[in-house]
Amino acid sequence: MTGAPAQQTSRVRQSSPFVAMTSGQRVAVVIFVLVYNALVPGFSEVLHQPSLPLSVLRFGAELVYQGLLVLPFVYYKPSFGWLHPLIFTVLWSLAQTYVGEPEALLAPVRVLFTPLHPELSHRGLVGFTEPAVAWTLVKAKGIQSLALVAYYAGFFSGLRPSVLRLPFHEPRQVPLRTILLVGGAFATFLIAVQLRGGIVEHFISLGQGRQRAIGGLGHIGVLIRLGVIASVVWYAFDPKAGTNPLYWGTLAVSLVSMFLWSGSRSDVIFPLAFLLILWALRHKTIPWGRGAIVGTTALVLFGGLGALRASTMTGEPAWEIVTDLQISRSLEFADEQLERRQQNPGGGYTAIVGRVPKDVDLLYGRTYVGALLFFIPRALWTEKPRGTGSYVNKYLYGTTGPVELGDSPPEVGGIPSGPVGAAYWNFYIPGVVLFFALYGIFHRWLARLYETNENALGAVIFLYLLVGVGVSPNALVSIFQDIVLLLAVLLFFGALRFPKITRN
């Protein structure tokens, strides 16, 4: 009798709290990454464009980077798993790429008939020759590889910041309290859009760019997001929430109001993925059937909502894209995005590497200061720096030669710089090494945090920190806001409580 519990405890300790992967699954991920991200692009140039400059060097740099990326899958430990920070960050990046550009999944077939990149050029490198663009791509990939090495060095450095065991109290009246929060968030949304001329007028205004439309109304967006976070927390605490129609109605209200306010597709798709992750953490297995449903839904929503948002530029939102479920329009929009990406390999990050600091000076932490002081309203601090993407758009795209940085923040929409690009432009290569080493240390701490708090409370906190924390300034702003909202929801539900002060 005494041996059975001991054997059971041994089995529990050997299983991963992050949902264990089989060797076959790991091999499949490694093959997918290497084939799609390195071998297929290399084969495209050999087959269609053998004269492009530095092809061997570019292929080698890409292969090194992708090889570093899959190292956790190759040198896998029993404590890892699908949702372990080392593994999940790779899978999350892949999911974001192929949900946004599903046509890219056909690359192994398309490459037989057409080159993946018609020419070696970049919109942010105007005036660069093909050899210059090629060398910039090699340099950019080398810096990304260095960032990965720094990240692994931080993770495996042996530094072990202390981890708290969180006091988890049984939450009270979760459905009722969620409905109250979602109702309050929805009322905030209705009042805000009414003050802006109504839902249609507000949504049309997003066509001029979210930064111009709602850039000074971040506090409104935070209050509306409270309903989404409350809905996710309900699902984390209630195993039966998924079978409750009231839950799905509440979630739908919060997601629709969030999208209509911000126009951000990730505000809709990410919470659906969060539910899938919470289910996996609860049951210690991957729900392949549910995953297929969520994945298909995400594909349709990403393209459809993107096409709907783009239609606002004409002054009349094409609501029929969503109401009539026009999947073909969704796929057309996704294909247009893929073509734009092919014309700008690496996006804003490549432009940063190619022109900073030669043509444009370093930001010296400017965008990180703006992120850390996000709580100061722009009405009080009109010169508060914006995200790195706005600087990419103003100073790198559409400009040539030396450009002087202005003191005023850019009043334009952003072009994503990527986390490596943000660290590089602010603090050059030393900043990349330092920030990604700290990121690795944080992920080591985060893994230990969930191992110590393997319950519903630990799962939802782990989830938001895992997905939200990043190196870029925008990620810092979002996670600060989300964690404050999450803690407020947990306190309101009674899952967390303020410590009692005792008097001697």
Side-chain angles (χ1 to χ4, degrees), residues 192-273:
V193 296
Q194 190 62 37
L195 293 175
R196 290 175 54 80
I199 292 179
V200 174
E201 288 299 320
H202 164 72
F203 197 67
I204 289 175
S205 72
L206 297 177
Q208 60 183 308
R210 279 176 286 178
Q211 199 168 86
R212 291 180 177 177
I214 56 175
L217 301 173
H219 55 291
I220 301 295
V222 169
L223 293 176
I224 297 172
R225 192 182 299 126
L226 182 64
V228 178
I229 292 178
S231 300
V232 173
V233 174
W234 178 1
Y235 188 88
F237 287 158
D238 184 0
K240 297 181 180 180
T243 60
N244 188 344
L246 181 61
Y247 172 77
W248 294 106
T250 303
L251 178 66
V253 169
S254 62
L255 294 182
V256 169
S257 56
M258 191 70 242
F259 174 75
L260 290 178
W261 173 257
S262 68
S264 172
R265 294 164 292 178
S266 61
D267 284 338
V268 176
I269 296 172
F270 280 15
L272 296 177

Side-chain angles (χ1 to χ4, degrees), residues 47-107:
L47 187 63
H48 301 288
Q49 301 158 300
S51 61
L52 286 180
L54 303 180
S55 57
V56 174
L57 189 57
R58 283 186 290 109
F59 174 74
E62 187 69 61
L63 195 59
V64 168
Y65 173 72
Q66 300 300 333
L68 287 170
L69 199 64
V70 299
L71 274 182
F73 298 87
V74 177
Y75 297 100
Y76 185 83
K77 293 183 178 181
S79 60
F80 293 174
W82 286 95
L83 302 175
H84 188 279
L86 279 173
I87 301 290
F88 179 80
T89 48
V90 178
L91 301 176
W92 186 249
S93 177
L94 289 174
Q96 288 180 277
T97 297
Y98 291 102
V99 165
E101 301 162 355
E103 296 283 338
L105 290 170
L106 301 177

